[in-house]
Amino acid sequence: MRTPVQNAELALLLEVTGTPKPGNVDRKRDFPDLRFEHFLAGAVGAQDGLAAAAAGDSVGSAFERAVEGMSEQEGGNTQFGALLLLCPLLAADDRSRNAVRAVVKGTTVDDAAAFYRAFEHVDVFVDDPPDGTEPLDVRRGADAVPAVRERGLTLADVLALGDDEDDVAREWSTGFERSFRTADRIVELAGPISSRAARAHLELLAERPDTLVAKQHGSATAERVRERAEELLDAEVEAVDAFADSLVKKGVNPGTTADIVAAGLFLALERGVTV
Amino acid sequence: MRTPVQNAELALLLEVTGTPKPGNVDRKRDFPDLRFEHFLAGAVGAQDGLAAAAAGDSVGSAFERAVEGMSEQEGGNTQFGALLLLCPLLAADDRSRNAVRAVVKGTTVDDAAAFYRAFEHVDVFVDDPPDGTEPLDVRRGADAVPAVRERGLTLADVLALGDDEDDVAREWSTGFERSFRTADRIVELAGPISSRAARAHLELLAERPDTLVAKQHGSATAERVRERAEELLDAEVEAVDAFADSLVKKGVNPGTTADIVAAGLFLALERGVTV
């Protein structure tokens, strides 16, 4: 029997393997400086942090450790968002929405501080913070920790500040609604698990504009990507493949959607979906 | 810093990713019932056994545990031979040839018994045993253990019985000569590490007929594959790709060569080659 930590790692590996996953590194596609093998090394490197989350260490410090290990490869940020979903899910006893809600609710100011420190290990693409929260800009890394402590913000509080603009943060605020729904889809679809994950990716992409695309290329582009994904829901795989190629060529990378697929894969593996 | 166990697992993942790797599952190719994702699950599942080898458990029982974990996927045998190389390498203090020779020399009858039990967890393609050694046929699994004990054979002894016909066993008898040489090549080549591994695979294939191909399709076929690999050493990647496709189509799978590449990748990662 694979352990939950092993399932989390396998979820990261299966996520990057599923193809076509429009705009993301997948089994068939690399970006020039962010390649498939960086994701392999990221998944392996994250192990100790994932294990810490499963063992009951505080979610923030487990996450920081996972990000630190993930970063030991030359591609940069591979799975920051996915780890931010997997750590609380690993900490949630029975992988239920109630349990993960309790984990979120139980986060502390120390967890928030560790979350800020995680940004010291890797460059993560983030937008300007909302007005009035400049001292809490995650790009300040550890320098923002005094402001976090002064305001007494927990990790859940910090993520709630950004949940309008970041769909990983939104998972934290909604009891991981889309992660669980993605798990349901992966359980109910047929075929190899990485193909199911690719299908789930397309469906998620058709549902809401990807927030990483919105941050990097603007909300109009994110909406166009969403619309095209929706049009392709009933298309042949060749058309999805062509869309995937075109997004990679333009450097349009719906990475938030991939993060949610990784969380869904983990929950599906925990429910016994076989590989 | 990745641990040696994490490097071993990453080696398994990078091995299956490298492409084109003629006749093997790689990033671009699956067999109908043996797919890329089975190798991902095999690599993750092998973790506990690999960790046991690194922690100083006996090589045979660590290997059996690795094979048991590897087998928790629906593709069958993915990395049996690679694990038979990685376990003694993980047990060898400083990853030197002398250290791994000492590990081989130190194996016991109990290690041999565990090796036989490993065959209970997965179907491994093997030939008829040499004349006079039928009671030691690995296909008998645990049933062969009394004969092994009666003859007082260590794991090194058992593998030496097959080292003419199986190039993984031959590594055990030669101080892992080709594994170390492959590591040297991966260190000296340029480019992404999985591409270096694919090149090393082609060079190994050009050097000696693959023993899995010889067992499954006869030595004439194995020699023809070797000759074609040799012809392709200076060819464009498209020609190697076409050869890879043709072997997969015929079901000709040089799996022993892949096992040695995995061992070479592990040693190269331990020497600090970056991903």
Side-chain angles (χ1 to χ4, degrees):
Chain A
M1 276 281 290
R2 281 189 300 270
T3 63
V5 176
Q6 290 168 345
N7 274 338
E9 193 192 340
L10 184 54
L12 293 171
L13 296 170
L14 291 167
E15 191 287 313
V16 72
T17 298
T19 186
K21 238 166 49 259
N24 284 280
V25 171
D26 67 15
R27 190 170 168 189
K28 289 193 187 165
R29 288 169 192 86
D30 288 327
F31 286 103
D33 298 319
L34 178 61
R35 297 188 308 273
F36 191 82
E37 62 191 48
H38 298 137
F39 284 79
L40 301 181
V44 171
Q47 260 175 37
D48 294 348
L50 295 171
D57 282 17
S58 72
V59 173
S61 70
F63 172 70
E64 185 194 354
R65 194 166 166 189
V67 168
E68 185 178 10
M70 172 207 85
S71 308
E72 277 188 49
Q73 36 75 28
E74 298 177 349
N77 178 18
T78 48
Q79 290 123 333
F80 188 95
L83 296 173
L84 190 53
L85 298 175
L86 289 171
C87 285
L89 289 171
L90 279 162
D93 289 349
D94 59 359
R95 317 284 172 248
S96 68
R97 289 187 70 185
N98 278 341
V100 76
R101 275 197 195 97
V103 169
V104 168
K105 207 172 163 183
T107 60
T108 64
V109 175
D110 282 342
D111 289 319
F115 171 73
Y116 276 86
R117 285 194 301 271
F119 286 86
E120 308 263 329
H121 300 296
V122 65
D123 280 330
V124 180
F125 192 94
V126 283
D127 239 347
D128 292 332
D131 278 348
T133 62
E134 289 79 6
L136 301 173
D137 189 342
V138 290
R139 292 170 295 192
R140 300 183 64 215
D143 291 343
V145 171
V148 171
R149 290 201 186 281
E150 195 187 319
R151 302 182 191 203
L153 298 173
T154 68
L155 179 49
D157 294 333
V158 167
L159 291 172
L161 290 174
D163 64 7
D164 276 348
E165 281 159 18
D166 185 309
D167 273 357
V168 168
R170 186 172 175 271
E171 286 298 281
W172 275 64
S173 298
T174 61
F176 288 64
E177 191 267 329
R178 297 175 90 205
S179 300
F180 279 89
R181 196 148 43 76
T182 301
D184 294 341
R185 274 303 274 159
I186 291 170
V187 169
E188 79 190 3
L189 287 164
I193 188 169
S194 63
S195 307
R196 303 185 203 187
R199 175 67 195 180
H201 181 97
L202 187 66
E203 293 177 359
L204 286 169
L205 199 56
E207 180 183 278
R208 285 174 61 85
D210 185 275
T211 52
L212 181 62
V213 174
K215 286 180 214 172
Q216 291 186 320
H217 304 278
S219 55
T221 299
E223 174 56 19
R224 273 200 304 277
V225 169
R226 189 204 66 71
E227 282 168 13
R228 184 67 187 137
E230 190 173 15
E231 288 165 9
L232 289 169
L233 284 175
D234 297 318
E236 299 293 319
V237 69
E238 290 73 16
V240 186
D241 256 323
F243 181 47
D245 289 338
S246 77
L247 289 186
V248 167
K249 203 170 160 192
K250 290 182 215 156
V252 173
N253 172 216
T256 304
T257 306
D259 296 335
I260 295 170
V261 171
L265 275 163
F266 166 66
L267 291 166
L269 289 168
E270 285 286 287
R271 291 189 204 165
V273 171
T274 55
V275 178
Chain B
M1 276 280 290
R2 280 188 300 270
T3 63
V5 176
Q6 289 169 345
N7 274 337
E9 193 193 338
L10 184 54
L12 293 172
L13 295 170
L14 291 167
E15 191 287 313
V16 72
T17 298
T19 186
K21 242 166 46 256
N24 285 279
V25 171
D26 66 16
R27 189 170 168 189
K28 289 193 187 164
R29 290 168 190 85
D30 289 325
F31 286 102
D33 299 317
L34 179 62
R35 297 189 308 273
F36 191 82
E37 62 191 49
H38 298 136
F39 284 79
L40 301 181
V44 171
Q47 261 175 35
D48 294 347
L50 295 170
D57 282 17
S58 72
V59 173
S61 70
F63 172 69
E64 185 195 353
R65 192 166 167 189
V67 169
E68 186 179 7
M70 171 207 85
S71 307
E72 277 186 50
Q73 36 75 29
E74 297 178 347
N77 178 18
T78 47
Q79 291 123 332
F80 188 96
L83 295 173
L84 191 54
L85 298 175
L86 290 172
C87 285
L89 289 170
L90 279 163
D93 289 347
D94 60 357
R95 319 284 172 245
S96 70
R97 289 188 69 184
N98 278 340
V100 75
R101 276 196 194 96
V103 169
V104 168
K105 209 171 161 185
T107 60
T108 64
V109 176
D110 282 342
D111 288 320
F115 172 73
Y116 276 85
R117 285 194 301 271
F119 286 86
E120 308 262 330
H121 299 298
V122 64
D123 279 331
V124 180
F125 193 95
V126 284
D127 238 347
D128 292 331
D131 279 348
T133 62
E134 290 79 3
L136 301 172
D137 189 341
V138 289
R139 292 170 296 191
R140 300 182 65 216
D143 290 344
V145 171
V148 171
R149 291 202 185 279
E150 195 188 317
R151 300 183 192 203
L153 298 173
T154 69
L155 178 48
D157 295 334
V158 167
L159 291 173
L161 290 174
D163 64 6
D164 277 348
E165 283 159 17
D166 183 309
D167 273 357
V168 169
R170 185 172 175 273
E171 288 297 281
W172 274 64
S173 298
T174 61
F176 289 64
E177 191 267 327
R178 296 176 89 206
S179 300
F180 280 88
R181 196 148 43 75
T182 300
D184 294 341
R185 273 304 273 159
I186 291 170
V187 169
E188 82 190 2
L189 286 165
I193 188 169
S194 63
S195 307
R196 304 186 202 186
R199 175 66 195 182
H201 181 96
L202 187 67
E203 292 177 1
L204 285 169
L205 199 57
E207 179 183 279
R208 285 174 60 85
D210 184 274
T211 52
L212 181 61
V213 174
K215 287 180 212 171
Q216 291 187 320
H217 304 278
S219 54
T221 299
E223 174 56 18
R224 271 199 305 276
V225 169
R226 188 204 66 71
E227 283 168 10
R228 184 65 187 139
E230 191 172 13
E231 288 166 10
L232 289 169
L233 285 176
D234 298 318
E236 300 292 320
V237 69
E238 290 74 17
V240 186
D241 256 323
F243 182 47
D245 289 338
S246 77
L247 289 186
V248 167
K249 202 171 161 192
K250 290 181 213 157
V252 173
N253 172 217
T256 305
T257 305
D259 296 335
I260 294 169
V261 171
L265 275 164
F266 166 67
L267 291 166
L269 289 169
E270 285 284 288
R271 290 188 205 166
V273 171
T274 54
V275 178

